[in-house]
Amino acid sequence: MYISLLVAASILFAFGGLFMKYSHGLTRAAPSVGLFLLFCAGAACQAIAMKRAEMSVAYLLVLGLEAVAAVLLSVAILGEHVNIQKGCAIVLIVAGIILLDRA
């Protein structure tokens, strides 16, 4: 259960980052409100999950998955490109998350 909450937190934070991009420096009202709502929802999911998970694992899992989700969103929605270095970095992040979870 706590893993699904951490994954949800990661996705909410990544979409919050997308809304941050759309807010143009908090100058557009709707995306600005959306980013705060998404970040609050992500923080709530993470806080609930941390009742059962170790902070070191939960916090880094959320950060790592958020980074991967942000890259995927930037490619799919914003049309950004992933080069070999970014691809390798994503693989290393995922490998680190798996190792951390199993430690």
Side-chain angles (χ1 to χ4, degrees), residues 3 5 8-10 16-17 19 22 24 27 29 33 36 45-46 53-54 57-58 60-61 63 77 79-80 86 95 102:
I3 294 289
L5 284 169
S10 302
F19 274 63
Y22 288 145
H24 289 260
T27 60
V33 170
F36 285 111
C45 287
Q46 187 173 358
E54 294 180 13
V57 174
L60 292 174
L61 190 140
L63 288 175
I77 296 174
E80 295 179 6
K86 285 183 184 178
R102 294 177 186 228

Side-chain angles (χ1 to χ4, degrees), residues 4-53:
S4 60
L5 284 169
L6 293 174
V7 170
S10 302
I11 292 168
L12 289 165
F13 286 138
F15 273 99
L18 183 64
F19 274 63
M20 188 184 299
K21 178 80 171 166
Y22 288 145
S23 77
H24 289 260
L26 300 177
T27 60
R28 294 185 175 164
S32 297
V33 170
L35 84 89
F36 285 111
L37 291 174
L38 287 163
F39 282 170
C40 287
C45 287
Q46 187 173 358
I48 294 167
M50 287 178 120
K51 285 173 39 178
R52 302 247 191 292

Side-chain angles (χ1 to χ4, degrees), residues 14 64-83 86-87 89-90 93:
L65 290 179
E66 177 188 355
V68 172
V71 169
L72 295 174
L73 285 174
S74 71
V75 170
I77 296 174
L78 300 175
E80 295 179 6
H81 299 285
V82 175
N83 57 25
K86 285 183 184 178
I90 291 168
I93 289 169

